[in-house]
Amino acid sequence: MNISKILLVDDDLTVNYFHNRLLQSFFDKDKIETCLNGKTALELLQNMKGTIDKDEHVIILLDLNMPVMNGWEFLAEFYYLKTELNFNCTIYIVTSSLNPDDKKNCITYTDVKKYLSKPLSKKDIELIIQK
């Protein structure tokens, strides 16, 4: 998989710092973008149109509980946006939620590849890269 961008979507600055550092052990820091909510992430994806080739991938690491636009709202909006994008996106839910319904609900979204618990580990990143 040719990964063009990694998009961290999480409102927790400490988690973002940790995940950013972890991702930088695998990717150049220019490939990593951070958004504090789903709305900003959707805007960033819209702005990426035309700048990423169709054979490249954007990996989205999405938290569920955020202000402004949460992960569920992001997924609902992304469903419509993805048809406009000229590149592939793979979404991984990365959350500290203990609600079992969250995990059940994630599998109903075909764009969600996997449900992961915070914080991500080196093994999680290796799994994401191999997919």
Side-chain angles (χ1 to χ4, degrees):
M1 176 182 336
N2 185 8
I3 299 172
S4 178
K5 286 278 184 197
I6 305 284
L7 181 55
L8 291 173
V9 187
D10 196 324
D11 64 316
D12 187 321
L13 298 178
T14 304
V15 170
N16 283 340
Y17 176 79
F18 174 78
H19 286 163
N20 222 309
R21 297 289 296 195
L22 177 64
L23 288 165
Q24 285 179 34
S25 63
F26 292 90
F27 301 99
D28 184 67
K29 67 181 178 179
D30 294 338
K31 285 191 170 196
I32 305 165
E33 298 281 348
T34 304
C35 295
L36 299 178
N37 60 66
K39 183 176 187 235
T40 308
L42 288 171
E43 290 167 357
L44 181 63
L45 287 168
Q46 287 174 328
N47 290 335
M48 286 182 186
K49 286 192 277 186
T51 65
I52 297 176
D53 292 334
K54 66 180 179 178
D55 63 332
E56 295 181 311
H57 279 73
V58 173
I59 302 294
I60 302 170
L61 304 175
L62 179 67
D63 185 24
L64 293 176
N65 300 309
M66 297 173 287
V68 183
M69 178 184 276
N70 66 34
W72 300 117
E73 294 165 327
F74 172 90
L75 288 169
E77 292 293 321
F78 179 80
Y79 177 80
Y80 298 103
L81 174 65
K82 71 180 180 180
T83 59
E84 299 174 25
L85 300 176
N86 61 330
F87 53 88
N88 298 303
C89 292
T90 305
I91 301 173
Y92 292 85
I93 300 298
V94 181
T95 186
S96 56
S97 173
L98 299 176
N99 185 344
D101 290 337
D102 285 344
K103 193 169 190 175
K104 283 183 203 171
N105 290 338
C106 283
I107 62 172
T108 65
Y109 290 88
T110 56
D111 298 309
V112 174
K113 191 78 164 180
K114 192 163 179 66
Y115 183 97
L116 301 167
S117 295
K118 288 181 190 177
L120 290 173
S121 67
K122 186 176 181 180
K123 186 176 180 180
D124 291 328
I125 303 302
E126 289 169 347
L127 180 127
I128 289 169
I129 291 170
Q130 290 175 357
K131 296 278 178 178

